[in-house]
């Protein structure tokens, strides 16, 4: 076998038989391609007419452009007679006319070099039949008529409107001028650079929105999106003015070809976004984005000295809104709670120190606590903030810790101190009257929660019940579980019994449990106006239902 040492690329003649599958054959493709050809030909207007017949729709697209010089070029796949200037600026592929492949089509055109008319039947597109070229005595420009399947009411007009909407030349449909729009009409700001109009949009990004307008052909491309931390999201759309190096993937032109021009456009988009953010009163870029923005602008300001105010994470929270951001106060600090036990304990200590405010520490050295935002790590102002975590707790018993409280689920010390430590090992001690302690058995069961409560606490049963619920109640979302409301009601009963047992003793807790169970399950059975008298013990029981009293209803 002889070794081949040289090759030359060629196109198989069989490829011509597949021209009817180059495009999808949709009206969207057809109008886009015909409109683009008219625009490249210098047309100042395009006219579309449609005649609806019983078994077909006859559609004509006419323009007043330069016309087609040579009919051979029209039906030569990949060949065209566009001017050198057009070839340089847009890289036309010579394939757009083949969006009509397979359809019965009549073309009439007059150019500076002559005029012709020809009819192409369905099988003539693949070279299986001759096409007669006839004289044409009509105006300058091109008219293309093709036969298409019948269309539902309004669909044809909607297709024409969509193709004409962002085209730089006017289009009429059956005598009606179609509306045109600026592709960047709703932009927060439009920046012109290197042959592009770049529109920067605030909180507009969607994967379903076209992001590039290529002289009227719109497509979706994932251009840069910059999301500020819990703030504005910035995105871009691009309107092509004169960018010869930016080309589309052939033949359908539904995506941008990846080359240096596209990489440059992406960089321009990011620069445009950062230039708009720079003009805003403040921003919340993460540190990494801020470093990138600083490459474009040496004086790009740092993110605003704002953080969300600290609020406790509750056990029942599967999701919670980020608290509102606020300017940092003198003495600002970060508190990074590890779980709901930690958060509820810390929140109680803060409220006790200042009379009820959630995020502020009162006393001789007041502080305001804020949520951590890890995306801000790196900013000098953020790194300088003390970031505290709970590292332990101390219990003081005036008469020494009783031996029976070592592993007890309830501790009643005389004083409780919460120990906090920041990233520089600096300590902060908070005096409080309540703490709930980390324990593997605590989750979901108020009876197992390890609770420390000072002997002199001002907390009442209802307040303590709420603290237990906030720290421990985590509803199950299992398909076999009761509803959220049922789980919450049951847990609140158990938490209230536990709170009463701690504060008022076991008898009060037992009576409260019976009272709540009675109210939920029995009380509704007692007829209106009647009185149930109940005496119950392990030895005997007695129930009587007294009759309604005579006289006015009470």
């Amino acid at each position: 076998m002889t070794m081949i040492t040289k090759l030359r690329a060629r196109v198989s003649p069989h490829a011509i038989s597949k021209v009817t599958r180059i495009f999808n054959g949709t009206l969207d493709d057809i109008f886009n391609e015909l409109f683009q050809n008219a625009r490249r030909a210098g047309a100042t207007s395009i006219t579309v007419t449609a005649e609806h017949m019983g078994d077909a729709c006859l559609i004509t697209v006419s323009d007043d452009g330069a016309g087609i010089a040579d009919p051979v070029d029209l039906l030569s796949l990949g060949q065209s007679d566009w001017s050198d200037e057009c070839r340089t600026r847009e890289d036309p592929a010579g394939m757009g006319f083949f969006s009509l492949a397979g359809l019965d089509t009549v073309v009439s055109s007059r150019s500076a070099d002559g005029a012709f008319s020809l009819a192409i039947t369905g099988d003539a597109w693949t070279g299986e039949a001759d096409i007669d070229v006839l004289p044409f005595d009509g105006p300058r420009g091109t008219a293309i008529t093709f036969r298409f399947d019948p269309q539902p009411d309004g669909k044809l007009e909607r297709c024409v409107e969509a193709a004409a909407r962002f085209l730089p030349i006017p289009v009429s449909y059956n005598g009606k001028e179609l509306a045109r729009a600026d592709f960047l009409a709703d932009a927060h700001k439009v920046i012109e650079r290197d042959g592009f109009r770049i529109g920067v949009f605030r909180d507009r990004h969607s994967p379903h929105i076209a992001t590039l307008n290529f002289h009227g052909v719109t497509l979706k491309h994932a251009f840069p999106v910059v999301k500020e931390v819990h703030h504005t999201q910035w995105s871009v759309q691009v309107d092509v003015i004169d960018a010869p190096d930016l080309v589309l993937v052939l033949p359908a032109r539904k995506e941008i070809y990846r080359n240096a021009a596209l990489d440059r456009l992406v960089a321009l988009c990011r620069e445009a976004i950062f230039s708009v953010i720079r003009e805003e009163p403040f921003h919340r870029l993460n540190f990494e984005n801020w470093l990138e923005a600083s490459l474009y602008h040496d004086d790009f300001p740092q993110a605003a000295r704002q953080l969300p105010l600290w609020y406790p994470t509750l056990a029942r929270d599967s999701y919670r809104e980020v608290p509102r951001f606020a300017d940092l106060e003198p003495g600002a600090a970060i508190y990074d709670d590890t779980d709901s036990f930690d958060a509820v304990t810390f929140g109680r200590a803060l409220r006790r120190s200042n009379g009820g405010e959630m995020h502020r520490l009162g006393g001789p050295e007041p502080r305001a606590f804020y949520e951590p935002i890890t995306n801000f790590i790196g900013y000098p102002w953020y790194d300088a903030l003390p970031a505290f975590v709970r590292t332990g707790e101390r219990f003081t018993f005036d008469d020494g810790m009783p031996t029976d409280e070592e592993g007890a689920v309830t501790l009643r010390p005389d004083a409780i101190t919460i120990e906090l430590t920041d990233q520089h090992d600096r300590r902060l001690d908070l005096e409080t009257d309540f703490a709930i302690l980390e324990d593997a058995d605590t989750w979901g069961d108020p009876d197992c929660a390890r609770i420390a409560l000072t002997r002199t606490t001002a907390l009442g049963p209802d307040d303590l019940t709420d603290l237990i619920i906030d720290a421990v109640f985590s509803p199950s979302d299992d398909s076999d579980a009761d509803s959220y409301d049922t789980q919450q009601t049951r847990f609140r009963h158990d938490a209230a019994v536990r709170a009463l047992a701690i504060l008022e003793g076991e008898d009060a807790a037992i009576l409260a449990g019976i009272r709540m169970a009675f109210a939920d399950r029995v009380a509704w059975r007692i007829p209106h106006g009647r009185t149930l008298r109940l005496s119950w013990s392990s030895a005997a029981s007695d129930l009587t239902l007294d009759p309604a009293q005579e006289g006015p209803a009470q």
Side-chain angles (χ1 to χ4, degrees):
M1 177 178 177
T2 303
M3 178 66 70
I4 298 176
T5 58
K6 291 185 180 180
L7 288 173
R8 179 172 295 185
R10 62 175 181 162
V11 178
S12 168
H14 297 294
I16 300 300
S17 66
K18 299 178 175 62
V19 296
T20 56
R21 285 179 277 160
I22 290 178
F23 292 88
N24 286 332
T26 63
L27 284 173
D28 293 323
D29 277 349
I30 291 170
F31 287 128
N32 277 333
E33 293 297 334
L34 297 187
F35 287 5
Q36 290 303 305
N37 283 345
R39 178 186 60 79
R40 294 189 190 102
T44 61
S45 65
I46 298 173
T47 301
V48 180
T49 59
E51 181 182 353
H52 297 275
M53 300 178 290
D55 61 344
C57 184
L58 207 60
I59 303 170
T60 300
V61 178
S62 306
D63 68 68
D64 59 356
I68 301 167
D70 190 344
V72 173
D73 291 334
L74 185 67
L75 285 162
S76 299
L77 182 65
Q79 184 174 327
S80 60
D81 63 353
W82 297 115
S83 66
D84 290 341
E85 180 183 2
C86 179
R87 293 175 190 274
T88 299
R89 292 186 179 280
E90 295 192 34
D91 186 32
M95 295 184 181
F97 181 64
F98 282 83
S99 61
L100 294 164
L103 301 178
D104 292 339
T105 305
V106 175
V107 181
S108 302
S109 183
R110 174 177 294 278
S111 70
D113 298 321
F116 67 88
S117 180
L118 54 84
I120 312 168
T121 58
D123 58 355
W125 286 96
T126 58
E128 298 173 26
D130 291 335
I131 301 171
D132 293 328
V133 180
L134 304 174
F136 173 61
D137 185 18
R140 180 160 175 164
T142 301
I144 299 174
T145 302
F146 59 94
R147 183 185 181 92
F148 206 81
D149 292 337
Q151 297 298 300
D153 289 344
K155 181 179 179 181
L156 177 56
E157 183 174 359
R158 288 194 298 273
C159 289
V160 181
E161 288 174 343
R165 186 179 183 192
F166 302 116
L167 198 70
I169 54 179
V171 178
S172 65
Y173 175 73
N174 283 349
K176 183 182 80 171
E177 189 84 7
L178 298 181
R180 288 187 292 156
D182 181 356
F183 188 64
L184 309 179
D186 299 325
H188 179 75
K189 185 172 183 179
V190 176
I191 297 172
E192 289 197 23
R193 287 284 305 276
D194 298 359
F196 300 103
R197 294 174 69 234
I198 301 174
V200 180
F201 291 80
R202 181 197 294 270
D203 296 326
R204 165 76 179 276
H205 175 64
S206 167
H208 308 296
I209 294 177
T211 55
L212 181 82
N213 178 35
F214 193 86
H215 308 291
V217 176
T218 62
L219 51 91
K220 302 180 182 78
H221 182 81
F223 285 119
V225 175
V226 175
K227 177 71 171 71
E228 297 183 54
V229 179
H230 300 297
H231 192 44
T232 305
Q233 178 174 265
W234 301 97
S235 58
V236 297
Q237 293 177 201
V238 178
D239 199 6
V240 177
I241 302 173
D242 183 15
D245 294 329
L246 189 79
V247 293
L248 305 185
V249 176
L250 300 173
R253 303 175 189 269
K254 297 186 188 304
E255 57 183 308
I256 308 174
Y257 179 70
R258 179 67 184 269
N259 61 9
L262 176 56
D263 292 341
R264 172 60 179 158
L265 175 57
V266 169
L268 287 174
C269 290
R270 294 193 71 85
E271 183 177 355
I273 290 174
F274 289 132
S275 68
V276 168
I277 294 174
R278 182 170 172 266
E279 295 174 358
E280 291 291 294
F282 70 92
H283 73 82
R284 291 192 194 134
L285 288 176
N286 65 42
F287 181 68
E288 183 180 346
N289 281 338
W290 176 73
L291 286 179
E292 182 184 356
S294 298
L295 296 177
Y296 297 113
H297 305 278
D298 291 340
D299 59 345
F300 204 99
Q302 296 184 36
R305 290 171 52 86
Q306 296 177 339
L307 288 174
L309 298 169
W310 182 86
Y311 284 95
T313 302
L314 307 183
R316 59 181 174 272
D317 291 341
S318 58
Y319 170 80
R320 69 164 185 160
E321 293 288 338
V322 174
R324 67 180 179 86
F325 277 64
D327 293 332
L328 297 183
E329 301 178 14
I334 293 169
Y335 187 69
D336 191 359
D337 55 71
T338 56
D339 54 37
S340 58
F341 303 154
D342 181 8
V344 171
T345 298
F346 181 65
R348 170 59 188 170
L350 291 184
R351 290 196 301 273
R352 186 171 178 270
S353 75
N354 61 46
E357 194 169 0
M358 179 61 70
H359 73 281
R360 196 180 307 280
L361 175 64
E365 297 182 10
R367 283 187 179 275
F369 283 95
Y370 300 83
E371 300 268 359
I373 298 292
T374 56
N375 288 324
F376 287 165
I377 294 174
Y379 282 115
W381 64 264
Y382 183 85
D383 293 345
L385 294 173
F388 288 100
V389 295
R390 178 179 167 188
T391 52
E393 52 279 320
R394 298 194 309 271
F395 305 112
T396 302
F397 296 84
D398 290 346
D399 51 359
M401 177 179 278
T403 56
D404 61 348
E405 293 211 25
E406 286 281 349
V409 294
T410 301
L411 286 76
R412 297 304 303 270
D414 293 285
I416 301 174
T417 302
I418 306 299
E419 299 174 351
L420 311 180
T421 306
D422 73 4
Q423 70 271 43
H424 304 294
D425 291 329
R426 292 178 296 212
R427 282 274 298 276
L428 177 63
D429 291 348
L430 303 184
E431 298 298 324
T432 187
D433 61 350
F434 165 86
I436 187 162
L437 311 179
E438 177 68 54
D439 191 285
D441 296 328
T442 297
W443 291 108
D445 188 349
D447 291 331
C448 296
R450 295 194 65 214
I451 296 172
L453 197 68
T454 60
R455 296 171 183 174
T456 58
T457 181
L459 284 170
D462 290 342
D463 295 329
L464 182 54
T465 298
D466 288 338
L467 289 172
I468 295 172
I469 292 171
D470 289 345
V472 181
F473 174 57
S474 180
S476 171
D477 57 1
D478 189 275
S479 58
D480 295 329
D482 290 324
S483 70
Y484 178 93
D485 289 341
T486 299
Q487 293 182 63
Q488 186 182 45
T489 299
R490 185 182 299 122
F491 191 95
R492 176 169 287 279
H493 287 182
D494 294 344
V497 169
R498 177 73 192 281
L500 282 162
I502 294 173
L503 292 172
E504 298 182 10
E506 289 297 331
D507 284 356
I510 292 170
L511 287 174
I514 293 173
R515 188 177 297 109
M516 287 184 288
F518 186 89
D520 283 347
R521 302 180 184 181
V522 178
W524 63 273
R525 292 180 177 272
I526 302 172
H528 181 68
R530 307 289 293 276
T531 301
L532 175 68
R533 301 188 184 280
L534 167 65
S535 174
W536 197 288
S537 70
S538 58
S541 62
D542 182 35
L543 285 84
T544 60
L545 191 62
D546 292 349
Q549 295 181 354
E550 295 183 3
Q554 299 296 317

